[in-house]
Amino acid sequence: MIPDFEVTILGNTSSIPVHGRHHTAQLVRFGQDFLLLDCGEAMQLQARAFKVKVSKINHIFISHLHGDHYYGLIGLLSSYSLAKRTTPLTIFGPRGLDEIITTNFRYSNTKLPYPLHFVETCDDGLNLLLEDKLYKVYSFPLNHRIPTTGFLIREKQGLRSMIKEKLQESKVPLAAIQTLRSGRDFTDQNGKIYKVKEYTHPLPALRTYAYCSDTIFNPELKQYLKNVDLLYHESTFMDDNAERAATTFHCTAKQAAEVAKVGKVKKLLLGHFSSRYLHLEPLLDEAKSVFPNSILSEEGQSYSI
């Protein structure tokens, strides 16, 4: 059975929460695992509004230390404490985040009832952060005003399903079944070869999700984004504000589309919208002029991968 793989948008605005939009936060669900990407200040309210069970989150990934991406984190950790959480929690984030968290709790005299682990991220290339039996999570460098990383979630190769008719036709050794399911041909002691393609069903294509929070326009991101199924890329401005985007180390919707195009991604999800835009359709139109399979992220909406 193929596990569900989806991302739910809890917040998609940039620095100022306006027009009914909130600071950046996303929940990625892979099977029974829940991963939080960034944690804007309204994350808990949004989670309640959209019936997201934050208690199931065991891994949190913070892209960088601009407040609109992590100011909700202290509140979330405190809520876990009040709820008597005992399950361990791991936070992946840039240098300094652990100091911010521990300083806050030291001065508030907060004693967490659950183990809290911190893993420092770095922006020097593709780095494996987490490996589960079903997926892997990597960080990769973005070019912003402070150290910033994107996150790449890749499905892992699973076991193949055997073709029942083939099993019924011949007595396949147990050792052969185990080897074939792992994707390797098997040769028995008599020299008989059992080929994977003859005894197993093909595996479905592996799925990938990439998250680019804040970054200046950088086509070289294609090396990390090649052929991903869904790319969330910041699109703070429209093209008439390209100079402002460059000055603040952000992107336009059109530039996000150009990154998607050179990366040959399958679908682009736009987000991190500037407060200057009440209506977002013009940003979508600009993106579609370069990369037709572009859509606007919507808070509360889940996107299957």
Side-chain angles (χ1 to χ4, degrees):
M1 183 176 178
I2 300 175
D4 291 332
F5 186 10
E6 65 180 17
V7 56
T8 300
I9 306 299
L10 301 178
N12 64 1
T13 195
S14 57
S15 57
I16 302 175
V18 292
H19 314 311
R21 302 193 292 264
H22 303 79
H23 286 155
T24 301
Q26 301 184 1
L27 185 81
V28 175
R29 181 169 71 90
F30 202 118
Q32 299 301 312
D33 285 9
F34 292 79
L35 315 174
L36 181 65
L37 307 185
D38 280 339
C39 189
E41 64 185 59
M43 181 270 171
Q44 292 189 78
L45 293 174
Q46 291 291 86
R48 286 183 176 273
F50 303 128
K51 295 180 172 55
V52 170
K53 294 183 178 180
V54 297
S55 61
K56 293 188 175 183
I57 297 170
N58 292 327
H59 299 92
I60 299 174
F61 301 82
I62 302 298
S63 63
H64 65 296
L65 294 183
H66 280 158
D68 55 323
H69 291 261
Y70 84 97
Y71 276 174
L73 185 57
I74 297 294
L76 178 62
L77 300 182
S78 298
S79 292
Y80 284 150
S81 181
L82 293 170
K84 308 299 182 184
R85 177 188 177 117
T86 57
T87 306
L89 178 68
T90 302
I91 300 174
F92 302 83
R95 181 181 182 184
L97 181 57
D98 58 339
E99 182 181 354
I100 292 170
I101 293 170
T102 54
T103 299
N104 183 284
F105 287 153
R106 182 169 69 250
Y107 282 100
S108 64
N109 194 28
T110 299
K111 303 291 191 298
L112 300 179
Y114 57 92
L116 180 62
H117 306 292
F118 181 81
V119 178
E120 185 176 306
T121 54
C122 54
D123 55 357
D124 62 351
L126 189 68
N127 287 284
L128 177 64
L129 299 179
L130 174 67
E131 182 169 3
D132 180 79
K133 62 181 180 180
L134 298 177
Y135 60 87
K136 294 181 180 180
V137 183
Y138 299 85
S139 65
F140 58 90
L142 299 175
N143 187 1
H144 195 42
R145 300 194 302 276
I146 60 175
T148 306
T149 63
F151 299 110
L152 179 66
I153 304 173
R154 289 190 177 277
E155 183 175 23
K156 288 175 65 174
Q157 194 82 54
L159 295 176
R160 292 170 175 259
S161 298
M162 301 295 297
I163 299 174
K164 292 181 180 179
E165 293 77 13
K166 281 287 186 178
L167 291 176
Q168 294 170 354
E169 287 176 8
S170 58
K171 293 182 179 180
V172 181
L174 180 60
I177 294 176
Q178 295 172 338
T179 302
L180 292 167
R181 291 198 69 199
S182 66
R184 293 176 289 122
D185 294 339
F186 179 84
T187 303
D188 67 15
Q189 59 186 6
N190 297 318
K192 181 177 180 179
I193 300 175
Y194 299 84
K195 291 188 173 294
V196 170
K197 63 181 180 180
E198 295 178 5
Y199 287 87
T200 68
H201 294 287
L203 283 170
L206 299 179
R207 297 164 292 175
T208 52
Y209 175 61
Y211 170 76
C212 291
S213 60
D214 293 14
T215 182
I216 200 168
F217 176 53
N218 182 13
E220 292 307 309
L221 288 175
K222 65 183 180 181
Q223 63 182 302
Y224 306 114
L225 308 176
K226 186 177 180 182
N227 299 323
V228 302
D229 293 283
L230 180 64
L231 165 66
Y232 177 94
H233 196 292
E234 74 126 280
S235 49
T236 310
F237 298 101
M238 290 184 63
D239 205 48
D240 59 356
N241 274 291
E243 185 175 342
R244 172 69 175 164
T247 301
T248 58
F249 281 70
H250 284 296
C251 276
T252 69
K254 186 175 181 180
Q255 289 171 339
E258 289 171 353
V259 171
K261 184 177 180 178
V262 298
K264 298 180 180 179
V265 309
K266 295 176 183 176
K267 181 179 287 188
L268 171 65
L269 187 60
L270 303 171
H272 199 264
F273 307 117
S274 169
S275 60
R276 70 184 62 205
Y277 303 115
L278 173 61
H279 302 292
L280 301 175
E281 287 75 14
L283 284 86
L284 179 61
D285 292 340
E286 284 195 353
K288 281 190 168 184
S289 69
V290 174
F291 189 78
N293 201 15
S294 300
I295 58 176
L296 294 170
S297 64
E298 296 183 38
E299 293 184 0
Q301 191 76 303
S302 296
Y303 302 88
S304 295
I305 300 161

